[in-house]
Amino acid sequence: MTSGGRETPRREQTPGLSLLRSPAASRRQEEPRATPATPGLPTGVSARLLDLVDQAVVVCDAAGLPSWCNVQAERLFPQLRIGEPLHGPLSRAMAEGADCFETVSDGRRLSGHRVVLQGDGTPAGHCVWLVRDDSAVHERQNELMAERARSAFLAEAGKQLAASLHHGRTVRAVVRVAVPALADTAILFLPVRGRCVAWHLYGPDECAGQLPAAALDQAPSVAHALRGLVEQPVLCDWQEVARLGGALPQDPDPAGPALVVTLPGPGMPAGVLVLAHGPQRTGFGAADVELAREFAARASLALEAATFYAEQVHTAAVLQDGLEPDPLPHVAGVHLGAAYRPARETLRLGGDFYQVRADAEGGVGFFFGDVCGKGVEAAVFAGRVRQSLRALALVESRPVRMLQLLNEALWEGDPTPFTTLVTGSVGSARDGALDVVLAGGGHLPPLVLRKDGRVDEVHIGGTLVGALPDPDFHQTEIRLAAGELLLLYSDGVTEARGGPTEQEMYGERRLMRDLAACLGMPAGAVAERIDLRTGQWLAGADHDDLAVLAVQAPALAPSADVEQPR
């Protein structure tokens, strides 16, 4: 047999092993040589078949010396010589008396086991080693495990990044999730805002800050990525980043270059993530770069969602400042109270509205309404109505006339939205009483809590404001004696569904009964009490916008000439 550049002596036939012969010797023969018959196998077939198997086959005699091997054994063990001592893993296994082994030899992962030949006249002690090269299998297993680990990391990263819509928490999550899975130090640079660039670093320590946008010129890799000029991850010198304008900490001092990864956005990038390894880790391989790129895509989505949510919250806050009811004025001789609860699913914006203003004569003017719909659209329309009423109050004090002018303004602008409305004025009368003039446009009848505990409805009627070009508005007058109270409310109170069945409406009768129980309470406490009772009835269920406004004539103070009980 020829192996390793030299020719080995021809082997003699071993009793019981005539089925095994050197393939090299067979190749030197132009015609096959007849061999003794092997039980159960055709003559001359066994050795040829063993050359076709994907394992190395090495036959050893009783002294442990190789007497035959197939082609796979020649390829796997190039130092193997027939009749000479074994080397490598086979030698160690024979020396230890092991029947099987798994080892790494010359960069290959090998596994083998020994079969002892018995019977058919085979001399005692002869054996066959079957050795398989598992390198490719283990490589595929390692690749599969690595892919599973990458998938698990990205899935967990997605959960952590989506855990909050708060922009600051999302920024912190990006750098914290990246360490140590992707790097030992991570810095996130956010897009330029004004003339500053915000950054957040996480590694051995955590810190954040801002640096001038002009300082980016000292770090071209980061600057180009933030401007959207670089899409793929690139390597750069860490010192280029760490000394960026002197704003970033000098420590840590990672080993090797840093990886600059762009966070893709719909227009400009959502940010730039800089990753750096510590001294204990190697540089960034192709798999590391690909994993960082996939993580950056998920981080970008989370930051975009947080940014969008922050803008929505800011918009809602601006709307709230302009659409929430104004504080109630302090007017001598008139007690006021109010409660306001927007629909649960909205951003504290609703279609119920009210306003009370003091007039020059010492009384008050007010309006209370409920626009069609709820949410942001209803709140915007309610804001239009409020602004119109404020302007009309400067030139018109008659309640019915104000409704007529408002209806004209709404009908000319957009005939689709409409609102229910009660507007009125309150003036002082003798003996601490209040004279109230009410004009109605399709709103629920106000309630009056009399000093004897009776609750009366004030039926005003009138058509909806903004629904018809020729509306019919009504007006009425009532007097509130000392201590009596006028309550205006929206349908969010009476139509609140809850109770034992969670579907029963709160209703007018229950409202009147709860109002009667408020006898003797001041206006502010009455409004809060009705709001509390409605909230208890709802028990956390979704509801429409609800509002309550209470106007009360102060109770008379005890007369000085009346003897007080001791």
Side-chain angles (χ1 to χ4, degrees):
M1 179 182 70
T2 302
S3 178
R6 63 176 182 173
E7 185 173 341
T8 56
R10 181 176 177 180
R11 293 170 291 174
E12 299 295 333
Q13 293 294 335
T14 303
L17 294 178
S18 59
L19 72 164
L20 304 175
R21 55 193 178 84
S22 169
S26 298
R27 286 192 293 271
R28 288 198 303 267
Q29 298 178 2
E30 297 181 357
E31 296 182 358
R33 185 180 61 179
T35 58
T38 302
L41 292 175
T43 301
V45 171
S46 298
R48 296 179 181 179
L49 289 178
L50 290 176
D51 276 343
L52 299 178
V53 301
D54 61 350
Q55 299 183 68
V57 179
V58 180
V59 181
C60 296
D61 58 20
L65 300 177
S67 59
W68 187 90
C69 66
N70 68 348
V71 174
Q72 295 297 333
E74 293 179 357
R75 296 172 180 171
L76 200 59
F77 304 110
Q79 302 300 323
L80 180 66
R81 298 291 183 271
I82 299 300
E84 297 182 5
L86 294 170
H87 298 279
L90 291 177
S91 175
R92 291 191 294 270
M94 292 286 285
E96 297 171 359
D99 290 331
C100 60
F101 65 86
E102 287 188 6
T103 187
V104 177
S105 177
D106 296 331
R108 293 175 295 186
R109 197 173 189 93
L110 306 179
S111 63
H113 66 281
R114 181 173 60 174
V115 178
V116 178
L117 299 177
Q118 296 179 354
D120 298 332
T122 303
H126 282 65
C127 66
V128 175
W129 278 103
L130 302 176
V131 184
R132 181 173 56 247
D133 186 354
D134 294 331
S135 302
V137 175
H138 282 271
E139 183 178 353
R140 287 192 293 270
Q141 290 178 347
N142 292 337
E143 291 176 354
L144 179 60
M145 293 177 62
E147 182 59 31
R148 288 177 176 174
R150 287 192 293 268
S151 299
F153 164 72
L154 292 174
E156 182 62 25
K159 292 179 182 178
Q160 296 188 36
L161 293 174
S164 174
L165 286 175
H166 187 276
H167 190 268
R169 296 192 189 101
T170 304
V171 169
R172 291 192 293 272
V174 170
V175 291
R176 289 178 178 179
V177 172
V179 176
L182 300 178
D184 297 306
T185 302
I187 307 178
L188 177 62
F189 292 91
L190 296 176
V192 177
R193 293 290 183 267
R195 298 182 179 179
C196 295
V197 174
W199 57 269
H200 199 104
L201 180 146
Y202 187 75
D205 298 310
E206 184 172 6
C207 54
Q210 291 186 340
L211 55 88
L216 290 176
D217 295 338
Q218 303 180 37
S221 300
V222 177
H224 293 167
L226 276 178
R227 294 166 185 159
L229 302 178
V230 179
E231 296 182 357
Q232 299 299 323
V234 296
L235 295 174
C236 74
D237 185 2
W238 167 258
Q239 296 303 322
E240 174 188 329
V241 179
R243 297 171 182 172
L244 193 57
L248 298 179
Q250 299 303 307
D251 293 328
D253 188 13
L259 183 65
V260 180
V261 188
T262 303
L263 275 59
M268 296 297 292
V272 171
L273 183 64
V274 180
L275 305 172
H277 284 167
Q280 305 301 323
R281 301 174 72 165
T282 59
F284 293 94
D288 300 325
V289 174
E290 178 62 22
L291 183 59
R293 189 187 63 80
E294 294 184 10
F295 172 77
R298 287 160 173 79
S300 176
L301 292 176
L303 286 173
E304 289 291 338
T307 301
F308 178 76
Y309 180 76
E311 293 175 351
Q312 294 293 98
V313 170
H314 176 70
T315 301
V318 173
L319 289 174
Q320 289 168 13
D321 291 341
L323 299 179
E324 284 187 344
D326 295 334
L328 298 176
H330 296 281
V331 180
V334 181
H335 290 176
L336 301 168
Y340 178 67
R341 183 182 299 192
R344 182 179 177 184
E345 63 269 21
T346 63
L347 297 174
R348 296 183 59 196
L349 299 172
D352 293 357
F353 61 95
Y354 63 83
Q355 182 168 317
V356 181
R357 67 187 184 283
D359 58 28
E361 289 76 22
V364 297
F366 65 87
F367 55 81
F368 187 98
D370 181 6
V371 305
C372 175
K374 60 183 178 181
V376 177
E377 295 82 1
V380 172
F381 183 59
R384 288 177 51 193
V385 175
R386 290 174 58 191
Q387 293 298 329
S388 299
L389 288 171
R390 288 173 180 172
L392 290 173
L394 298 176
V395 296
E396 181 59 62
S397 59
R398 294 170 296 177
V400 169
R401 183 55 181 161
M402 289 184 65
L403 291 181
Q404 293 172 345
L405 294 174
L406 177 63
N407 189 85
E408 292 179 10
L410 295 180
W411 183 260
E412 292 177 357
D414 188 350
T416 302
F418 57 85
T419 180
T420 64
L421 189 64
V422 174
T423 182
S425 61
V426 180
S428 300
R430 293 177 299 174
D431 302 327
L434 295 177
D435 288 329
V436 182
V437 179
L438 297 171
H443 198 75
L444 298 173
L447 301 178
V448 177
L449 176 59
R450 299 300 182 181
K451 58 184 178 182
D452 58 0
R454 186 178 75 256
V455 177
D456 297 333
E457 287 187 336
V458 181
H459 294 281
I460 308 174
T463 56
L464 299 172
V465 181
L468 299 173
D470 298 316
D472 182 18
F473 299 125
H474 299 166
Q475 179 174 307
T476 187
E477 298 181 9
I478 62 172
R479 171 164 290 192
L480 298 178
E484 293 184 341
L485 178 140
L486 172 69
L487 183 73
L488 296 102
Y489 57 94
S490 66
D491 59 5
V493 176
T494 54
E495 295 179 3
R497 292 186 178 273
T501 65
E502 298 182 355
Q503 291 298 322
E504 184 180 355
M505 289 197 301
Y506 186 67
E508 290 82 358
R509 296 181 62 181
R510 187 172 284 104
L511 174 61
M512 295 174 69
R513 185 173 65 248
D514 288 341
L515 179 59
C518 297
L519 182 65
M521 297 171 61
V526 172
E528 293 178 0
R529 174 69 175 176
I530 298 301
D531 179 61
L532 175 63
R533 292 290 295 160
T534 308
Q536 292 174 340
W537 183 258
L538 287 165
D542 291 338
H543 59 85
D544 197 358
D545 306 319
L546 59 90
V548 174
L549 177 64
V551 180
Q552 186 181 41
L556 292 176
S559 177
D561 57 354
V562 177
E563 183 178 358
Q564 299 298 319
R566 298 180 179 178

